[in-house]
Amino acid sequence: RVDQRVAYHDSCYLGRYNEVYEQPREALRAIPGLTVLEPRETRDRGMCCGAGGAQMFKEEEHARPGATEERVNIKRTEQLLETQPDMIASACPFCQRMLTDGLAAKGREAVPQLDIAEILWKSVGEKS
């Protein structure tokens, strides 16, 4: 059992580009005790983590005058934290890095950002 609450983040590539939304949720819901939370912006309305198109490998661009200065990964992290999760799940290494950075920027390192495979491992292989 994994008696925790998880907010699932839909990655751009798995979700919006390939329309894979339900399968990751089914895998998470199959874990006994795990509660899957949905942020307000989810599935095809989910927000990018900020790393799409290899953005994480280049210098950050400054916002246009008058535009919000908030970084995309921090905004997305805030949306996920609104669900009051014990952990955040994703299925993309770029998302994992960006959301981990967002959690650190918000001072919320106690909320782990895990790949779905890591949560499955907690359920079937790792002794707590």
Side-chain angles (χ1 to χ4, degrees):
R1 291 186 63 86
V2 178
D3 291 312
Q4 293 188 297
R5 298 163 37 95
V6 62
Y8 178 68
H9 166 73
D10 291 291
S11 72
C12 295
Y13 297 110
L14 192 61
R16 286 187 299 285
Y17 295 149
N18 292 299
E19 298 181 3
V20 174
Y21 296 110
E22 199 53 38
Q23 295 88 331
R25 288 168 173 80
E26 287 174 5
L28 290 169
R29 285 193 296 260
I31 298 171
L34 193 67
T35 301
V36 180
L37 308 170
E38 294 286 349
R40 282 182 295 132
E41 293 80 8
T42 190
R43 299 178 188 265
D44 64 334
R45 300 286 184 220
M47 186 175 178
C48 177
C49 71
Q55 294 293 311
M56 68 185 298
F57 296 111
K58 66 181 199 65
E59 292 295 321
E60 187 172 351
E61 295 176 23
H62 297 287
R64 289 172 275 121
T68 180
E69 293 287 329
E70 190 169 36
R71 295 182 65 191
V72 173
N73 67 316
I74 293 173
K75 180 66 177 168
R76 183 56 177 161
T77 300
E78 289 172 347
Q79 292 172 354
L80 294 164
L81 287 172
E82 286 175 2
T83 66
Q84 300 180 356
D86 298 312
M87 66 179 116
I88 294 174
S90 62
C92 168
F94 295 131
C95 295
Q96 187 170 15
R97 175 79 265 152
M98 296 303 283
L99 296 173
T100 298
D101 289 351
L103 289 163
K106 300 302 290 180
R108 298 292 302 273
E109 295 94 339
V111 177
Q113 203 298 293
L114 303 170
D115 188 276
I116 290 173
E118 293 176 289
I119 301 170
L120 288 167
W121 176 248
K122 271 181 167 282
S123 177
V124 300
E126 180 181 283
K127 300 290 185 221
S128 300

